Amino acid sequence: MKDQKYKNTILDLSLILNELQKPIQILDSVKWQEGVDDFIIKNNFKELPTISYDNRPLKYDPSKKLQEFKELRLKISRELGPSDPLGLIIARNCMQYEDVIRMLMVRGKPQFYDYSKKLYGSANETMGDGKTKLSDLAKIMSKLLDSLNENMLGENFERSMTSEQVVDELKGRLGTYFKDEKIKIKLSDGIISDASAGSDYIKIKSDLKFSRKDLDIFEVHEGWVHLGTTLNGQTQPYAKWLAKGPPCSTVTQEGLAVIMELFNFALFPRRAKRLNDRLVACQMAENGADLLQVIEFFRNKGQADSQAIKNASRIFRGAPLTGGTPFTKDIAYLKGFVMIYNFMRTSIQEGKVDLIPFLFAGKVTLEELPTLKEYHDLGVITLPKYLPPQIKDMNGLAIWMAFSSFLDHMRLDDILKENRNQEGTNPFRKAS
């Protein structure tokens, strides 16, 4: 067990880090000025708008803030030593925030992409098997999702719920889930996405219509995962840094949120297509497509003009509009999904299932989970207070992954070929 002096040092360093990062608001810093949508539509999608970040100055002195993070890293090394595992995580987070500051200092310039790729990754990167590219997933998923007919899959969930109704229902659902917390569910007209989670609240975009499926997704994605991991981080007695998410935790956060949508059967084809389209669009932009070409991609998907502009703008926030150097945060959803799904499979297969709950301990990365488990055993890290039912009782999850591992050895092409070979001898098949 670690002594109280060590624990208090971790708490002190955590609180300093949380205070230092507080004014660094990435998405707010790259928000576009009003009127961009109108300009694009008025010019018939033929002319790129001019984006200025002069009206969104950073809320801190970047040079001073960089120095403060550097000083904290030196303090970590002095007080914990240069190789302390928890100290290395906190120092890594410091360096992440330093790169965020450098990225925001070059908003609108090509160098913005260099930092974005370093912090969030690229649609063209290779996944964990060392040979499959993330962009390969986008191609395969596009083909599979386009072949699905939602009308044949079950109920067609119409968007008939008002924002106010969603707020009221979420209050009831999450009030039960977070029974010891005073969380707030509120309307907002200042967010780009349909919903957004904060430290103790969830915002729902006002003046929109939602389906019951959207409500289920907000409950799981924004509630169980984003808000839940924040609250679990806040309830840590010493490792308070876990309540705050540096960019390296974004892939874990978004992937975990999507995988919980799947495990809760809230994920549906239209939602999956939206996530996959973000990945495809990001790859297009990395390969040189400009803002107007990405907007056209979304319009060709049947999206209304304003929605297509909104989705394309996510990929060009802070970045030049001419293509080749986008903001790559939107790859996190499917990149994270693949990484976490494979992490769960290997953890179960290798008898390390006790690592899985630590995905919810706060804003974490996969690489640090063994360290968090080790320091839980040493009395520094606590188990998450709020866990989804599928993680509280992992019997079903273990069987899911066991069958998944076996079925992965069977090639779908071979199965389809065998089915076609047997069609002629099937006595129940209607003669054509």
Side-chain angles (χ1 to χ4, degrees), residues 357-425:
F358 287 93
L359 285 166
F360 292 86
K363 311 302 183 183
V364 303
T365 66
L366 294 182
E367 294 78 13
E368 69 201 53
L369 295 184
T371 298
L372 297 183
K373 170 64 172 62
E374 177 188 350
Y375 277 76
H376 165 262
D377 297 341
L378 293 172
V380 183
I381 306 290
T382 59
L383 282 167
K385 181 178 181 179
Y386 299 106
L387 284 172
Q390 298 92 338
I391 307 299
K392 277 185 178 179
D393 179 355
M394 288 190 283
N395 282 286
L397 178 62
I399 298 303
W400 181 317
M401 294 300 174
F403 278 116
S404 170
S405 294
F406 168 73
L407 293 172
D408 274 352
H409 293 289
M410 302 178 69
R411 285 175 49 84
L412 185 59
D413 288 345
D414 292 338
I415 295 172
L416 292 172
K417 181 180 179 180
E418 185 63 21
N419 287 345
R420 285 192 290 269
N421 290 339
Q422 293 180 7
E423 280 184 355
T425 60

Side-chain angles (χ1 to χ4, degrees), residues 234-285:
Q234 290 173 355
T235 57
Q236 289 287 333
Y238 309 108
K240 296 292 186 183
W241 87 81
L242 287 170
K244 304 297 180 181
C248 60
S249 70
T250 301
V251 170
T252 311
Q253 276 286 295
E254 299 301 354
L256 187 58
V258 174
I259 212 165
M260 291 313 303
E261 292 178 29
L262 176 65
F263 290 160
N264 205 48
F265 292 100
L267 192 59
F268 60 108
R270 267 177 293 167
R271 165 70 171 167
K273 286 179 183 178
R274 286 201 299 271
L275 299 179
N276 194 63
D277 286 344
R278 290 177 187 175
L279 176 55
V280 173
C282 192
Q283 186 196 17
M284 288 175 58

Side-chain angles (χ1 to χ4, degrees), residues 38-49:
D38 294 337
F39 175 89
I40 293 172
I41 294 172
K42 181 181 178 181
N43 286 276
N44 199 29
F45 301 89
K46 300 294 185 185
E47 186 175 343
L48 288 171

Side-chain angles (χ1 to χ4, degrees), residues 95-163:
M95 290 187 284
Q96 284 266 303
Y97 290 122
E98 290 171 47
D99 278 337
V100 168
I101 293 168
R102 295 185 184 101
M103 179 178 74
L104 296 178
M105 290 172 68
V106 291
R107 289 172 294 176
K109 299 177 181 178
Q111 296 94 320
F112 182 90
Y113 169 68
D114 296 330
Y115 290 108
S116 174
K117 187 165 60 171
K118 182 179 179 181
L119 293 166
Y120 300 103
S122 163
N124 295 312
E125 69 185 75
T126 303
M127 298 301 291
D129 62 357
K131 57 184 179 181
T132 304
K133 287 189 175 182
L134 186 57
S135 55
D136 295 333
L137 170 66
K139 294 173 187 174
I140 294 169
M141 287 298 292
S142 291
K143 183 177 180 180
L144 291 173
L145 291 170
D146 287 344
S147 70
L148 294 178
N149 184 342
E150 285 194 47
N151 295 325
M152 298 175 64
L153 296 176
E155 183 177 350
N156 187 11
F157 290 88
E158 297 296 330
R159 292 192 162 188
S160 57
M161 298 182 69
T162 65
S163 301

